[in-house]
Amino acid sequence: MTGEMRMPALKTQYFPLAGGLDAESAQLTLRPGMVTGAINYESSALEGYERIGGYERFDGRPRPSDAAFKCLRAATAFTGVAVGQTVAGATSGATALVLALRNAAQMVVTKLTGAFAVGEVLTVAGSAVGVFDGDASDIDGFDDNAFAALAADHYRAAIGAVPGAGPLRGIAVLNGTVYAWRDNVAATACSIYKSSATGWMPVFHHHELAFTGGSGAEPAVGANITKGAVSAMVKRVVVESGTWAAGTAKGRFIVTAPSGGPFTAGAFTAGVAATASGAETAITQLPGGRLDAVVYNFNGRAGQQRIYGADGVNRGFEFDGEVLVPLATGMGVDKPVHCVAHKNHLFFSFEGSVQHSAVGDPCRWSAVVGAAEIAAGDVVTGFQVLPSDAEGGALMVFAAERTWVLYGSSSADWRFVNFADDVGAQRGSVQNLGRVLVFDTLGVAVVSATQAFGNFERLPLSSRIQRLLKARQVTASVVNRADKRMRLFFATGESLSVTPIPTADGGSALAFMPIDYGRTVRCTCDAVVGGEPRNFFGSDDGFVYEADRGRSFDGAQIQAYLRLAFNHTKSPMEKKRFRRVDLESKNRSACRLLVQGEYSLGKPEVGLTDVVNVLQNAGGAYYSVSNYGQSYYSVPANVLSKVRLDGVGTDLSLNIVSTARDELPHTLQSVSVVYTPRRLDR
């Protein structure tokens, strides 16, 4: 009798990559597709893990990520041309800056003006360097990456830091212009700069001049007011009490530096019927603050949005992009820390006190006109407005370990309700992503509206990353609304990405992934500019950076790593020979990935597989056992890359590494495992 030996049949398993990091659970309990280690990959709101986007410096000049390039081809060769020179078309008049010489007959250029004509002579400083024969046609995905990075490097070099010294104190966006706060070099004042086509431009503060007894017509902005030989132009009229009609207007004029000497007390002689309270004073902001700002429109007219801010060391302010108006709340120590606009009131926090302006008027802080103070009983760490009920919303007020909710519409019907005595938020950690996300003493928490009218609940925080969150101090946070994720930044320089993801029951959970920008983030700002959601942050070096732009961390490599949970294919005691994994990905550019298999919970005697590369090139797929580490795959926008394995174990984990300074983000979406079952592990 003869028998025939049969090889075990191949089996496959598919699983999506989703769920985020779990650093706490037992390995064999983890769902395939979760990760046990990661850096600079983020969970997608849909499915998969996306390598984090780059960031680049910003000052209003052309963005490095928008830089374009061309590769010019010579009829024979280019001679006498060097990197950094400007080539010009002798016939067309087109010009371009040389970035690189690819070979004798090809040069890479940027800053192209006009269009070169095929057959024309190209010159440098009037001397011929070659004849233009068209654009090079042999640019593959990796060439495109490299040349785009060269072009970005050129534009990046021109972008400067906000003038001054020390970290950025704050960033805000108004009407498409970015404003940044930074202490001056002498650390005697905090200055404001605005972005422009030529870089950061200073915003000059004016003077404030107190007045009483204003009557008749309010002076218009741009009018001159005079007292004797002294005059100044009115930049803003701030009425804090009374009215012009009743002859009782009292407040301040924001004026230009007066000519003819300082004002003195007494009636103005021209431009206004009012009495000056004394000399004008220069408006300055002290250094060392931490800006909390909101953009709001209190009068309802188009184009009247303004920045309102508090920083803990100066009076709160209103700022229209040109004129900064310090606000006087009447507090003995008038240094609000937090700022929010709610129900047409401006709210400030002072330690354990919450105060708000009159409705519709952020300059009036008298109880007579509806301003009020609410005692919180603990140091306030943040505000968050929540749309929640038929009344049109509620205001959440946070302390480090307590939370309140303010219901109502004005001081006539406010209800300040205790929400929790053991749940709060660190300063700078409160964000709204459809529901409120905070970082409290226990870690990340979610505050969500219940179906009950006007009530909220605190959902349980994830315990999967608790070890990573101990003793973390938040410096800033931001929401990327386009990608529906939140980022928390810590004083250690480390960061955490938080993404709501769908669950099988139709609900949602939070996926957590660690990220590392290579610098400490001190302040953030998200805004819509020209219809485009944009995120900015500031660090200790004084630069404003735009996040989720470009291919690098401001020219430096992005190092990203992903370690998938060990997958036992529903049979943890059975050995398998793992033969291949198909890695599904979506790529915005050519990319290189190092993929490494690890077996049997990483037992050292089992060993590791070879490292392979997943590339985009013109060739097909092939694998060389004798020359491991050189497996190349074509990578279109969506691809299924077949990665060869040859390892035996009860389970399999994949380590995926991406290191590049010239690649756009890619998303790893799913894994299909091909394996052969073997005997039980003994």
Side-chain angles (χ1 to χ4, degrees):
M1 180 175 178
T2 61
E4 184 177 313
M5 188 172 217
R6 295 185 179 180
M7 295 294 292
L10 289 175
K11 290 190 174 183
T12 64
Q13 182 197 35
Y14 163 88
F15 55 89
L17 296 178
L21 176 69
D22 190 328
E24 305 290 341
S25 301
Q27 285 279 344
L28 296 182
T29 68
L30 294 179
R31 186 177 71 251
M34 297 193 71
V35 299
T36 58
I39 197 71
N40 289 334
Y41 274 98
E42 298 182 284
S43 287
S44 168
L46 298 175
E47 194 171 84
Y49 299 119
E50 181 181 6
R51 197 218 67 184
I52 194 169
Y55 64 78
E56 61 189 15
R57 61 188 65 181
F58 172 88
D59 66 3
R61 281 179 270 216
R63 297 188 288 190
S65 56
D66 290 337
F69 72 87
K70 277 185 174 294
C71 188
L72 309 182
R73 187 181 64 240
T76 53
F78 290 116
T79 59
V81 62
V83 171
Q85 292 180 324
T86 297
V87 294
T91 304
S92 66
T95 63
L97 179 77
V98 180
L99 288 174
L101 299 173
R102 190 180 184 203
N103 53 50
Q106 293 182 10
M107 70 169 74
V108 182
V109 300
T110 190
K111 296 184 71 173
L112 181 67
T113 63
F116 293 111
V118 174
E120 73 172 326
V121 174
L122 300 187
T123 65
V124 172
S127 299
V129 296
V131 176
F132 177 58
D133 193 39
D135 296 337
S137 59
D138 59 341
I139 306 296
D140 66 15
F142 290 105
D143 288 334
D144 186 83
N145 288 349
F147 300 156
L150 283 175
D153 290 343
H154 174 76
Y155 282 86
R156 182 183 304 111
I159 298 174
V162 178
L168 283 185
R169 299 299 180 182
I171 307 170
V173 177
L174 182 65
N175 299 325
T177 299
V178 179
Y179 296 87
W181 280 253
R182 193 183 188 194
D183 296 347
N184 62 16
V185 173
T188 57
C190 184
S191 303
I192 306 176
Y193 288 84
K194 66 178 181 180
S195 61
S196 76
T198 57
W200 295 111
M201 302 293 292
V203 175
F204 297 103
H205 293 326
H206 297 291
H207 294 68
E208 54 185 338
L209 174 63
F211 71 89
T212 59
S215 64
E218 177 180 306
V221 171
N224 286 319
I225 55 174
T226 301
K227 185 175 184 297
V230 183
S231 66
M233 179 186 293
V234 175
K235 303 298 290 185
R236 185 71 53 79
V237 180
V238 182
V239 178
E240 296 167 337
S241 64
T243 66
W244 291 94
T248 57
K250 178 182 178 181
R252 288 165 292 141
F253 296 126
I254 307 301
V255 298
T256 57
S259 62
F263 284 97
T264 57
F268 293 96
T269 56
V272 61
T275 299
S277 301
E280 77 287 345
T281 57
I283 296 172
T284 60
Q285 290 184 292
L286 295 173
R290 179 178 173 182
L291 180 66
D292 187 17
V294 62
V295 176
Y296 198 77
N297 186 341
F298 277 99
N299 62 35
R301 295 193 300 271
Q304 295 297 305
Q305 285 191 323
R306 290 173 179 171
I307 298 170
Y308 296 88
D311 65 6
V313 299
N314 294 285
R315 284 177 287 171
F317 65 83
E318 175 188 89
F319 180 54
D320 66 0
E322 177 190 358
V323 179
L324 184 135
V325 179
L327 301 176
T329 66
M331 287 288 289
V333 180
D334 200 353
K335 299 178 181 180
V337 179
H338 298 284
C339 170
V340 73
H342 176 60
K343 294 296 182 71
N344 220 24
H345 299 79
L346 182 62
F347 281 76
F348 285 145
S349 74
F350 300 84
E351 297 292 331
S353 171
V354 176
Q355 298 192 24
H356 67 78
S357 69
V359 63
D361 193 340
C363 296
R364 292 180 182 253
W365 293 81
S366 170
V368 175
V369 290
E373 178 180 8
I374 301 169
D378 203 345
V379 177
V380 174
T381 57
F383 295 118
Q384 180 62 57
V385 175
L386 258 189
S388 62
D389 53 37
E391 294 179 273
L395 178 64
M396 303 206 76
V397 181
F398 295 92
E401 297 181 3
R402 297 181 65 186
T403 306
W404 304 266
V405 180
L406 180 67
Y407 297 100
S409 298
S410 70
S411 57
D413 65 352
W414 291 135
R415 289 174 290 124
F416 195 57
V417 179
N418 187 58
F419 170 70
D421 289 326
D422 60 348
V423 177
Q426 287 192 27
R427 181 180 181 183
S429 75
V430 182
Q431 294 291 340
N432 191 344
L433 196 59
R435 49 188 174 171
V436 175
L437 302 180
V438 301
F439 190 86
D440 66 4
T441 54
L442 299 177
V444 178
V446 178
V447 181
S448 180
T450 68
Q451 292 183 352
F453 177 83
N455 290 316
F456 301 91
E457 63 181 351
R458 181 195 192 276
L459 301 180
L461 69 148
S462 171
S463 60
R464 292 174 176 170
I465 58 166
Q466 200 56 34
R467 277 184 302 159
L468 304 180
L469 302 181
K470 289 183 178 179
R472 296 294 189 194
Q473 182 63 46
V474 174
T475 57
S477 63
V478 74
V479 164
N480 182 321
R481 304 194 186 280
D483 294 331
K484 298 180 176 60
R485 63 170 61 104
M486 172 186 177
R487 292 174 184 146
L488 280 162
F489 303 100
F490 303 115
T492 57
E494 297 165 298
S495 311
L496 184 69
S497 174
V498 185
T499 308
I501 58 173
T503 56
D505 60 2
S508 65
L510 296 180
F512 303 95
M513 299 287 278
I515 58 179
D516 186 357
Y517 273 170
R519 61 184 74 248
T520 301
V521 174
R522 298 296 180 184
C523 55
T524 61
C525 176
D526 70 286
V528 176
V529 181
E532 177 188 3
R534 298 175 70 174
N535 272 280
F536 301 94
F537 71 89
S539 188
D540 294 329
D541 58 5
F543 278 93
V544 170
Y545 296 99
E546 183 172 1
D548 301 303
R549 294 290 308 180
R551 302 164 181 262
S552 66
F553 283 169
D554 197 44
Q557 282 187 338
I558 299 177
Q559 297 183 334
Y561 166 74
L562 202 65
R563 188 189 195 202
L564 298 184
F566 281 94
N567 173 27
H568 50 68
T569 65
K570 299 183 179 181
S571 180
M573 297 179 64
E574 181 184 65
K575 282 190 174 182
K576 305 102 181 166
R577 178 173 292 279
F578 294 96
R579 300 182 178 278
R580 193 183 85 208
V581 292
D582 291 356
L583 183 63
E584 183 185 13
S585 63
K586 183 176 182 179
N587 311 283
R588 300 188 202 175
S589 73
C591 69
R592 290 180 171 87
L593 299 176
L594 304 181
V595 184
Q596 185 179 57
E598 191 173 357
Y599 308 98
S600 295
L601 301 180
K603 290 182 179 179
E605 63 271 19
V606 174
L608 304 177
T609 64
D610 299 331
V611 177
V612 298
N613 292 313
V614 180
L615 315 176
Q616 176 178 336
N617 65 2
Y622 69 89
Y623 179 75
S624 170
V625 175
S626 62
N627 195 13
Y628 68 88
Q630 294 185 15
S631 298
Y632 301 94
Y633 302 90
S634 178
V635 183
N638 289 84
V639 69
L640 199 64
S641 300
K642 302 180 186 301
V643 181
R644 302 285 184 176
L645 300 175
D646 188 15
V648 176
T650 55
D651 41 67
L652 167 69
S653 168
L654 293 179
N655 298 302
I656 303 170
V657 178
S658 168
T659 302
R661 67 175 299 273
D662 60 3
E663 295 178 3
L664 294 172
H666 59 266
T667 301
L668 306 176
Q669 297 171 310
S670 71
V671 170
S672 297
V673 182
V674 181
Y675 67 97
T676 305
R678 302 184 71 179
R679 61 177 174 80
L680 291 180
D681 189 27
R682 300 178 184 180

